[in-house]
Amino acid sequence: MTTPETTPDIDQPLHDALGAVEHALEQLDDCTPEERAALASDIRSLRDMLGKLKSGRVEIAVFGEISTGKSALINALVGKEVASVSIRGGWTRDVWDVPWEADGYEVPGFEDSGVVLLDTPGLNEVDGAERSAMARDTAERADLVLFVTDSDLNETEYSALVELATGHKPIILVVNKVDLYTPKQLEDLLELFRGPRLKGIVEPENIVCVAADPRPVEYHIESADGKVRTEWREPEPDVEALRVRILEVLQHDGSDLVALNASMFAADRSDRVGAIRVKMRNDRANAIIWSYAAVKSVAVAVNHFPVLDVLGGTAVDAAMVATLGKVYGIEMTTDNARALVTSILKAAGWVMAGEAVVSYISSFFKGLTWGTSTAISALPQGAAAGYGSYIVGQAARFYFEHGASWGEKGPKRVVARILENTDKQSVIDHLKSEIKGKLTKNRHAAK
């Protein structure tokens, strides 16, 4: 829970966003250690977002290729050299933040807020996949994006800009080094940026010109005695237009941007966490189903005593169901597990009757021959029994995955859909190979 000491005085949308992030974190409380390990980065990012809201931090991400003047721009905005500038480029290897006091500016509706500039690696110093992930992740976290360029956009810049636009955050295209252009050249460049290529990506009013690190200007100074000397002077950075535009965006939409960003971030992370947990649990469940189906197949195939193979198979299915329940955090007694197995088999009805007929006929055949027919009956009987377990396991997985409920579909429709979507022959072939392998290694099995 938040407290007045840890949470700034925020408006209702921000309060709701804070609740959304806290709820997303609460959903992780029942994670297993394995799930927590797999979701470590998501848990960390949610905690970072919670800290961001509680501390009143507004984040502005700065993107651009190396040598476009990102670092100089940050220094000029902050008013002091906080980012290292290198003519070689490539010095920034990770995303890091720089506080921007902005003359004590506070976002309306977000008291005690502070603005932070997030510097990122140059777009052309990381490979395509890493660049895309960096752009996506940072854009998710940031409330506003500055995209710095000093010329027309190349393909790398354009692709990154399109990727950033998918985050639905305001993007300010910062045209740097305008002191290097003639008025006509700059007019042509701006006309290009305001054309159809960037329509829907950057709003025309968010295209801003700056000179973050103006080139030195040569002055000819004449002294009193008429002598002329040359002196090079570095003009002051000209980033006022950008500073004004940033504050205009924050003044108009600041708290709403932060709230919307945090809410979307929480929803996205909740969906992602949920999907990963479902996949991990389903992977574990499928491994358990295959394992128990194989055990049942082999047990039924090598069992020399009639009828007991069928009865033993029921116990295997109940044990499988109880084990699957634990994967999804649902404890089941043996009786409850048997009852669930029975309900699944009833739901399967005549569709699964053929598998039972094969099993019972093979078992009866064993009785007539006192078990000497094992080699003949082993493969079909064992595979049929294992296939039945596989279907029971998949149905139980659905039941547990949906919170111990069949939902609106009911067990019959669920089982029917599982049977319809299962490649029976593939399952049978897999189980037969398991049986053959076991019979080959078992010297007591009938030849």
Side-chain angles (χ1 to χ4, degrees):
M1 297 292 294
T2 58
T3 65
E5 290 75 26
T6 58
T7 306
D9 183 15
I10 59 179
D11 60 15
Q12 189 60 43
L14 284 164
H15 186 279
D16 294 341
L18 186 65
V21 176
E22 289 177 331
H23 178 67
L25 280 167
E26 287 169 2
Q27 290 180 313
L28 296 164
D29 289 344
D30 63 342
C31 280
T32 64
E34 293 79 9
E35 289 171 347
R36 281 191 170 276
L39 297 169
S41 63
D42 295 286
I43 295 172
R44 184 168 55 251
S45 65
L46 281 168
R47 285 175 177 166
D48 287 345
M49 180 60 73
L50 188 63
K52 174 180 181 293
L53 288 173
K54 285 185 174 182
S55 64
R57 192 167 70 247
V58 181
E59 296 182 340
I60 302 175
V62 186
F63 282 87
E65 287 197 333
I66 55 176
S67 302
T68 57
K70 287 193 302 101
S71 300
L73 178 67
I74 291 173
N75 290 335
L77 282 172
V78 174
K80 55 186 176 182
E81 188 165 338
V82 293
S84 175
V85 180
S86 169
I87 59 172
R88 295 175 301 170
W91 63 272
T92 305
R93 302 307 306 173
D94 200 359
V95 176
W96 62 288
D97 56 72
V98 179
W100 182 37
E101 296 178 2
D103 297 330
Y105 177 78
E106 290 182 353
V107 176
F110 201 13
E111 301 301 326
D112 298 327
S113 59
V115 180
V116 170
L117 301 174
L118 302 177
D119 196 10
T120 64
L123 295 173
N124 50 345
E125 63 178 323
V126 289
D127 62 37
E130 183 182 352
R131 179 170 61 245
S132 178
M134 177 190 69
R136 183 172 56 254
D137 292 345
T138 307
E140 280 184 352
R141 171 183 168 183
D143 304 298
L144 174 65
V145 175
L146 305 183
F147 194 95
V148 186
T149 187
D150 59 3
S151 62
D152 187 15
L153 302 178
N154 58 38
E155 284 307 309
T156 296
E157 291 175 303
Y158 182 74
S159 297
L161 191 56
V162 170
E163 183 75 48
L164 289 167
T166 62
H168 305 290
K169 310 292 176 61
I171 298 175
I172 297 179
L173 181 62
V174 183
V175 186
N176 193 19
K177 304 183 182 180
V178 294
D179 55 309
L180 303 181
Y181 287 87
T182 65
K184 181 62 170 64
Q185 290 173 330
L186 183 58
E187 180 183 345
D188 291 343
L189 181 60
L190 293 178
E191 184 178 348
L192 189 65
F193 286 148
R194 291 167 182 153
R197 192 182 185 207
L198 296 185
K199 186 176 182 180
I201 299 175
V202 180
E203 298 299 325
E205 62 269 23
N206 283 344
I207 300 173
V208 180
C209 296
V210 301
D213 186 20
R215 62 180 176 179
V217 176
E218 183 180 14
Y219 288 86
H220 297 278
I221 303 172
E222 183 176 356
S223 60
D225 59 5
K227 294 182 179 179
V228 177
R229 61 185 177 85
T230 299
E231 183 177 305
W232 289 87
R233 297 178 182 175
E234 294 185 1
E236 289 294 317
D238 181 9
V239 295
E240 185 61 19
L242 175 60
R243 181 181 177 281
V244 168
R245 184 56 191 153
I246 291 173
L247 296 182
E248 285 176 347
V249 172
L250 295 181
Q251 181 75 19
H252 187 265
D253 300 315
S255 63
D256 289 339
L257 284 177
V258 175
L260 179 61
N261 178 39
S263 297
M264 290 178 61
F265 187 87
D268 178 76
R269 283 299 184 272
S270 290
D271 290 345
R272 172 179 156 79
V273 165
I276 291 175
R277 290 184 70 183
V278 167
K279 183 180 184 306
M280 290 183 67
R281 292 182 178 189
N282 284 350
D283 287 347
R284 288 175 60 199
N286 283 324
I288 289 169
I289 291 168
W290 276 113
S291 176
Y292 273 90
V295 166
K296 184 174 178 180
S297 294
V298 174
V300 170
V302 301
N303 186 3
H304 292 263
F305 297 95
V307 181
L308 290 179
D309 49 8
V310 178
L311 297 177
T314 303
V316 171
D317 287 346
M320 172 181 64
V321 166
T323 305
L324 288 173
K326 292 179 181 178
V327 171
Y328 292 92
I330 299 172
E331 293 291 336
M332 297 200 80
T333 65
T334 301
D335 288 342
N336 287 339
R338 286 181 180 274
L340 182 57
V341 171
T342 300
S343 68
I344 292 172
L345 292 175
K346 284 182 178 179
W350 287 102
V351 183
M352 288 289 291
E355 314 307 328
V357 169
V358 172
S359 182
Y360 279 105
I361 289 177
S362 298
S363 181
F364 176 71
F365 190 41
K366 284 184 186 179
L368 291 179
T369 57
W370 294 99
T372 58
S373 65
T374 301
I376 300 173
S377 63
L379 286 179
Q381 185 185 19
Y387 177 71
S389 281
Y390 179 84
I391 297 301
V392 168
Q394 291 298 336
R397 182 183 65 79
F398 177 96
Y399 177 78
F400 291 131
E401 184 182 328
H402 292 79
S405 169
W406 296 112
E408 296 179 357
K409 295 182 178 180
K412 288 186 178 180
R413 290 183 62 185
V414 170
V415 175
R417 178 62 62 87
I418 290 171
L419 288 165
E420 180 184 342
N421 294 332
T422 299
D423 185 347
K424 177 180 176 181
Q425 192 57 50
S426 175
V427 175
I428 292 291
D429 289 344
H430 177 81
L431 294 172
K432 282 182 177 180
S433 68
E434 293 282 345
I435 297 169
K436 287 179 181 178
K438 180 64 176 179
L439 291 179
T440 300
K441 296 177 182 178
N442 185 1
R443 61 187 180 89
H444 298 293
K447 303 297 183 183

